[in-house]
Amino acid sequence: MKNQARRDKLTHSKANGKQFKYSQNFIGRQYKNKGLLSDVIVQTIEKNTGTSLLQLKDELSEVDLFTLGLKYVTTTKKAYCTALGIALEAGCRYKRYLEKSGILVQSINKVVCPYTNHYAYALSTNPNEFKRLRTSNNRQLDLFQMVYYDKD
Protein backbone atom coordinates (compact mmCIF):
# COMPACT_ATOMS: atom_id res chain seq x y z
CA MET A 1 0.00 0.00 0.00
CA LYS A 2 2.88 2.37 0.76
CA ASN A 3 4.40 1.70 -2.66
CA GLN A 4 1.12 2.53 -4.40
CA ALA A 5 0.79 5.78 -2.46
CA ARG A 6 4.39 6.66 -3.31
CA ARG A 7 3.82 5.93 -7.00
CA ASP A 8 0.65 8.01 -6.99
CA LYS A 9 2.57 10.86 -5.40
CA LEU A 10 5.32 10.57 -8.02
CA THR A 11 2.93 10.43 -10.97
CA HIS A 12 0.97 13.46 -9.76
CA SER A 13 4.02 15.51 -8.80
CA LYS A 14 4.45 16.63 -12.42
CA ALA A 15 1.10 18.38 -12.20
CA ASN A 16 2.22 20.10 -8.99
CA GLY A 17 4.75 22.16 -10.93
CA LYS A 18 7.97 20.25 -10.38
CA GLN A 19 10.32 20.20 -13.34
CA PHE A 20 12.05 16.98 -14.37
CA LYS A 21 14.97 16.34 -16.66
CA TYR A 22 13.92 15.17 -20.10
CA SER A 23 16.24 12.15 -20.13
CA GLN A 24 17.70 10.25 -17.19
CA ASN A 25 21.14 8.75 -17.81
CA PHE A 26 21.83 5.52 -15.93
CA ILE A 27 25.25 4.93 -17.47
CA GLY A 28 28.14 5.00 -15.02
CA ARG A 29 26.00 4.26 -11.97
CA GLN A 30 26.32 0.88 -10.33
CA TYR A 31 23.36 -0.56 -8.48
CA LYS A 32 24.03 -3.43 -6.09
CA ASN A 33 20.30 -4.08 -5.79
CA LYS A 34 18.95 -4.89 -9.26
CA GLY A 35 15.38 -4.45 -8.08
CA LEU A 36 16.18 -0.87 -7.09
CA LEU A 37 17.53 -0.17 -10.57
CA SER A 38 14.34 -1.53 -12.14
CA ASP A 39 12.21 0.57 -9.79
CA VAL A 40 14.17 3.74 -10.60
CA ILE A 41 13.78 3.15 -14.36
CA VAL A 42 10.05 2.55 -14.00
CA GLN A 43 9.61 5.60 -11.75
CA THR A 44 11.49 7.80 -14.22
CA ILE A 45 9.19 6.72 -17.05
CA GLU A 46 6.11 7.19 -14.87
CA LYS A 47 7.22 10.69 -13.79
CA ASN A 48 7.78 11.90 -17.33
CA THR A 49 4.70 10.33 -18.92
CA GLY A 50 2.32 11.06 -16.06
CA THR A 51 0.78 7.57 -16.18
CA SER A 52 1.63 4.31 -14.46
CA LEU A 53 3.48 1.50 -16.18
CA LEU A 54 0.43 -0.76 -16.00
CA GLN A 55 -1.67 1.82 -17.86
CA LEU A 56 1.06 2.24 -20.47
CA LYS A 57 1.22 -1.53 -20.98
CA ASP A 58 -2.56 -1.63 -21.46
CA GLU A 59 -2.64 1.30 -23.90
CA LEU A 60 0.53 0.71 -25.94
CA SER A 61 2.08 -2.20 -27.78
CA GLU A 62 5.47 -3.49 -26.61
CA VAL A 63 7.27 -1.73 -29.49
CA ASP A 64 5.64 1.59 -28.63
CA LEU A 65 6.41 1.10 -24.93
CA PHE A 66 10.03 0.27 -25.79
CA THR A 67 10.26 3.45 -27.89
CA LEU A 68 8.48 5.72 -25.42
CA GLY A 69 10.50 4.69 -22.38
CA LEU A 70 13.86 5.19 -24.08
CA LYS A 71 12.97 8.85 -24.65
CA TYR A 72 13.23 9.37 -20.91
CA VAL A 73 15.88 6.77 -20.00
CA THR A 74 19.33 6.21 -21.50
CA THR A 75 20.61 2.79 -20.45
CA THR A 76 21.55 -0.63 -21.77
CA LYS A 77 19.09 -3.03 -23.34
CA LYS A 78 19.38 -5.64 -20.57
CA ALA A 79 18.63 -3.16 -17.77
CA TYR A 80 15.78 -1.61 -19.71
CA CYS A 81 14.09 -4.85 -20.78
CA THR A 82 14.23 -6.37 -17.30
CA ALA A 83 12.78 -3.20 -15.76
CA LEU A 84 9.81 -3.18 -18.15
CA GLY A 85 9.31 -6.94 -18.22
CA ILE A 86 10.03 -7.23 -21.95
CA ALA A 87 11.73 -10.42 -23.12
CA LEU A 88 15.34 -9.76 -24.11
CA GLU A 89 14.88 -11.49 -27.48
CA ALA A 90 11.93 -9.23 -28.27
CA GLY A 91 14.01 -6.23 -27.18
CA CYS A 92 16.65 -7.24 -29.75
CA ARG A 93 14.03 -7.27 -32.51
CA TYR A 94 12.59 -3.92 -31.43
CA LYS A 95 16.07 -2.38 -31.27
CA ARG A 96 16.95 -3.55 -34.78
CA TYR A 97 13.61 -2.31 -36.16
CA LEU A 98 13.94 1.12 -34.50
CA GLU A 99 17.57 1.50 -35.60
CA LYS A 100 16.59 0.84 -39.22
CA SER A 101 13.79 3.39 -38.88
CA GLY A 102 16.25 5.98 -37.53
CA ILE A 103 14.36 6.40 -34.25
CA LEU A 104 16.86 4.69 -31.93
CA VAL A 105 20.60 5.35 -31.61
CA GLN A 106 23.17 3.04 -30.04
CA SER A 107 26.34 4.41 -28.49
CA ILE A 108 29.62 3.99 -30.33
CA ASN A 109 31.61 3.12 -27.22
CA LYS A 110 30.69 0.36 -24.83
CA VAL A 111 29.73 1.41 -21.32
CA VAL A 112 29.40 -0.56 -18.09
CA CYS A 113 25.86 -1.90 -17.79
CA PRO A 114 24.28 -0.85 -14.47
CA TYR A 115 22.45 -4.21 -14.31
CA THR A 116 25.13 -6.77 -15.24
CA ASN A 117 28.36 -4.77 -14.67
CA HIS A 118 29.56 -5.97 -18.09
CA TYR A 119 30.36 -3.82 -21.09
CA ALA A 120 27.41 -3.12 -23.41
CA TYR A 121 26.07 -0.35 -25.66
CA ALA A 122 23.77 2.39 -24.40
CA LEU A 123 20.43 3.01 -26.17
CA SER A 124 18.23 6.08 -26.53
CA THR A 125 15.35 7.36 -28.65
CA ASN A 126 15.78 10.90 -27.30
CA PRO A 127 17.00 13.17 -30.14
CA ASN A 128 18.85 15.33 -27.58
CA GLU A 129 21.05 12.32 -26.70
CA PHE A 130 21.91 11.31 -30.29
CA LYS A 131 24.97 13.53 -30.65
CA ARG A 132 26.44 12.42 -27.33
CA LEU A 133 25.95 8.73 -28.11
CA ARG A 134 27.38 9.02 -31.62
CA THR A 135 30.61 10.71 -30.52
CA SER A 136 33.51 8.52 -29.55
CA ASN A 137 35.67 8.99 -26.49
CA ASN A 138 38.60 7.58 -28.43
CA ARG A 139 40.86 10.25 -29.91
CA GLN A 140 43.03 7.81 -31.86
CA LEU A 141 43.19 8.34 -35.62
CA ASP A 142 41.48 5.81 -37.80
CA LEU A 143 43.62 3.74 -40.20
CA PHE A 144 41.79 5.13 -43.21
CA GLN A 145 41.41 8.67 -41.92
CA MET A 146 43.48 11.09 -43.96
CA VAL A 147 44.81 14.28 -42.49
CA TYR A 148 45.66 17.02 -44.97
CA TYR A 149 47.77 20.00 -44.12
CA ASP A 150 47.66 23.19 -46.14
CA LYS A 151 51.09 24.17 -47.39
CA ASP A 152 51.59 27.89 -47.56
Side-chain angles (χ1 to χ4, degrees):
M1 192 67 178
K2 288 183 180 179
N3 290 338
Q4 182 62 33
R6 189 178 78 203
R7 283 190 178 160
D8 289 341
K9 182 180 175 185
L10 289 175
T11 56
H12 295 300
S13 61
K14 187 174 184 181
N16 293 338
K18 290 185 180 179
Q19 297 294 325
F20 298 104
K21 293 169 90 177
Y22 186 72
S23 179
Q24 182 85 17
N25 188 355
F26 290 97
I27 304 304
R29 297 180 184 172
Q30 299 303 315
Y31 289 87
K32 292 182 181 178
N33 185 354
K34 294 179 182 177
L36 175 66
L37 173 66
S38 298
D39 290 343
V40 170
I41 291 173
V42 169
Q43 287 174 3
T44 303
I45 294 170
E46 287 177 345
K47 281 182 195 176
N48 289 303
T49 58
T51 58
S52 69
L53 184 64
L54 294 175
Q55 290 175 340
L56 289 173
K57 283 185 176 183
D58 288 341
E59 295 171 3
L60 303 173
S61 65
E62 272 194 348
V63 179
D64 294 334
L65 180 64
F66 191 85
T67 307
L68 178 70
L70 282 174
K71 285 184 182 177
Y72 306 112
V73 174
T74 301
T75 189
T76 59
K77 183 175 54 187
K78 175 77 174 182
Y80 185 68
C81 286
T82 54
L84 295 184
I86 297 173
L88 194 59
E89 295 82 11
C92 293
R93 286 192 302 272
Y94 303 151
K95 177 186 161 282
R96 183 177 62 238
Y97 169 74
L98 294 172
E99 274 184 318
K100 287 182 179 180
S101 301
I103 299 170
L104 183 135
V105 170
Q106 173 179 295
S107 65
I108 292 187
N109 294 330
K110 288 188 175 185
V111 296
V112 177
C113 175
Y115 190 81
T116 62
N117 292 334
H118 296 292
Y119 284 100
Y121 294 104
L123 305 175
S124 181
T125 57
N126 183 353
N128 298 333
E129 293 283 325
F130 287 176
K131 183 178 179 183
R132 185 181 65 85
L133 292 175
R134 287 182 179 152
T135 56
S136 176
N137 296 335
N138 190 356
R139 299 289 181 200
Q140 183 176 355
L141 289 176
D142 199 8
L143 177 64
F144 300 105
Q145 185 177 8
M146 303 288 288
V147 178
Y148 295 103
Y149 296 103
D150 291 334
K151 292 184 180 180
D152 292 331

